[in-house]
Amino acid sequence: MLGRGAVRLRNEHGMALATVIISLVVIGALVAAALMVGIQEQRMSESTRWLRKSSGLTEGGVNEVLRAWDAQNTNGMTLYPTAGSTMAVAQTASPSGTGVYGGTVAKLTDQIYLLDMTGRDSSTLNGRNRGDGARQRLGLITRVLPLPVDVQAAMTIGAPVNFGGGNVFVQGTDHVPAGWANCPAAGTPLAGVRAKNAGDANNSQGQMTGTPPVLITPTMDSTTFMQYGTTAYNALAAAATIQLNPGSYAPAPAFVGAVCTPGNTNWGSPLAPNGPCGKRYPVVHVNNFGGTTTLTGGNGQGVLLVDGDLVISGAFTYYGLIIVRGKMSTTAGGSPTVYGALMVQSMNFATTAFAGDANIYYSACALQRTRDAVGSPTLLRSRGWVELL
């Protein structure tokens, strides 16, 4: 028998092995967990990197679309004739060669467009990623900034003018062009004529009407005719759709069937706003300052820039904005009608007056449509984008 103070020995053979096995299992589990976490972290990092690359490609695609925006076709006639018009942006390789982008551009209003763009990085495109890889689709709202011309009168002159030689009427009352749908109601009247000095426009016969009939602006200078907000005359002239040399012209709309065809004498169709060329608002630039351009008749719309002198010898109708750097005159039988605004920088008819008839009507609708048609696109300052599925 064992004594009272004796110690009972237990059989513990194999415990060390069990302990080692349990430790290995625990350590293995920890290693596996760490490995799994590492793999997940790596995959998450790769996904984030792919997504950022795709996002960059998408934003780059948007910038490329805006950079190549041809306002005189995009805003008005060819690509987006009406609200709801949509054009596809074909899958295009990015300039950096890191992927592709593509999508659609939809016209919501005359000033608002929706860009729906999707970008894919090159590894996703080539199938080198696990699963579907990464792509990013964004919807961005783009607003067209209208041409910022400060129109304060139906006619703005930079030097004295003699209106006594013919039946000339300049009206600052807002006129809605006949046959033009969706124009707002007539707005606040502007001045008839805007001049720098008192006496530059003699209204003794009441040929100028508006609020006031003659507006005197002593601060007027050459920038009034040469700089429009951030847009300069020279930049606008350089980007003109139609470039002409001084000569004689009689513009008229040109189309085949229901398709408006481009051409140097196709300046749109303001008299048939629902016709094939009703959405064509070109910027026409007559270069070579010092030359003389004669309009023998016809009609047009948009922006007309004349570096030299302009003579109108026939029945000519224009809707939009006319800016003449030289002088402007009419011959006997010349009868221009302008809906919008007329700006003549060096006009000085102290001895040579309008010899024919002329009607200059301020039209907010004609000006707004022209300014929208030649405006530049920009992203909204506030949140103008959203991720799309």
Side-chain angles (χ1 to χ4, degrees):
M1 294 182 61
L2 295 175
R4 180 176 294 181
V7 178
R8 185 181 296 273
L9 296 178
R10 297 180 180 179
N11 186 358
E12 296 182 352
H13 294 292
M15 289 300 296
L17 179 59
T19 302
V20 170
I21 293 174
I22 292 173
S23 299
L24 290 175
V25 171
V26 172
I27 293 172
L30 293 175
V31 171
L35 181 61
M36 181 61 68
V37 171
I39 292 174
Q40 292 296 328
E41 289 286 345
Q42 181 185 14
R43 290 181 177 178
M44 290 175 62
S45 298
E46 289 179 347
S47 297
T48 301
R49 178 166 57 87
W50 297 333
L51 185 60
R52 288 182 177 178
K53 286 179 63 178
S54 297
S55 296
L57 288 165
T58 304
E59 293 179 8
V62 169
N63 291 330
E64 284 296 308
V65 170
L66 297 182
R67 182 190 62 80
W69 194 279
D70 180 4
Q72 293 164 52
N73 285 324
T74 303
N75 297 5
M77 185 191 73
T78 307
L79 302 181
Y80 308 96
T82 59
S85 300
T86 301
M87 184 193 73
V89 178
Q91 183 169 283
T92 305
S94 67
S96 62
T98 58
V100 298
Y101 63 85
T104 60
V105 180
K107 181 176 184 177
L108 304 182
T109 69
D110 285 342
Q111 295 184 350
I112 304 297
Y113 292 77
L114 172 64
L115 278 66
D116 183 346
M117 202 67 57
T118 300
R120 291 180 181 272
D121 67 276
S122 56
S123 56
T124 297
L125 183 66
N126 296 329
R128 296 200 301 266
N129 293 340
R130 301 178 184 87
D132 294 332
R135 67 176 178 86
Q136 180 67 62
R137 182 184 175 196
L138 296 178
L140 297 98
I141 297 296
T142 297
R143 179 176 182 269
V144 172
L145 294 178
L147 182 68
V149 180
D150 182 21
V151 174
Q152 299 184 26
M155 183 174 182
T156 301
I157 58 176
V161 178
N162 178 6
F163 290 97
N167 295 319
V168 180
F169 298 95
V170 183
Q171 298 184 15
T173 305
D174 188 7
H175 287 70
V176 177
W180 281 32
N182 302 319
C183 280
T188 304
L190 297 185
V193 174
R194 182 187 180 197
K196 180 178 178 63
N197 303 307
D200 283 354
N202 185 353
N203 196 33
S204 59
Q205 300 181 26
Q207 293 166 296
M208 292 163 264
T209 59
T211 308
V214 178
L215 173 65
I216 303 302
T217 309
T219 58
M220 276 180 53
D221 56 25
S222 60
T223 60
T224 303
F225 302 88
M226 293 295 295
Q227 189 69 37
Y228 324 114
T230 59
T231 303
Y233 175 94
N234 292 335
L236 186 61
T241 311
I242 299 173
Q243 298 284 354
L244 300 175
N245 292 320
S248 295
Y249 301 98
F255 50 89
V256 176
V259 178
C260 187
T261 57
N264 286 343
T265 57
N266 182 358
W267 298 2
S269 60
L271 303 182
N274 297 321
C277 297
K279 298 293 183 179
R280 180 176 171 85
Y281 291 84
V283 175
V284 180
H285 174 225
V286 183
N287 52 40
N288 189 11
F289 190 85
T292 298
T293 297
T294 302
L295 296 177
T296 59
N299 60 86
Q301 61 188 10
V303 179
L304 175 59
L305 307 173
V306 181
D307 289 351
D309 296 341
L310 178 64
V311 177
I312 299 177
S313 62
F316 173 70
T317 303
Y318 196 81
Y319 290 58
L321 177 65
I322 299 177
I323 302 175
V324 181
R325 298 281 307 283
K327 301 175 183 178
M328 177 178 172
S329 61
T330 61
T331 63
S335 55
T337 299
V338 176
Y339 285 89
L342 171 64
M343 301 176 69
V344 186
Q345 182 176 356
S346 301
M347 194 171 196
N348 190 338
F349 294 154
T351 57
T352 304
F354 279 105
D357 300 332
N359 294 285
I360 314 298
Y361 302 124
Y362 165 66
S363 174
C365 184
L367 284 173
Q368 187 61 48
R369 291 192 182 180
T370 296
R371 293 171 65 222
D372 287 343
V374 302
S376 301
T378 183
L379 298 178
L380 299 182
R381 290 183 179 180
S382 58
R383 182 182 175 98
W385 61 271
V386 65
E387 290 187 9
L388 301 174
L389 299 177

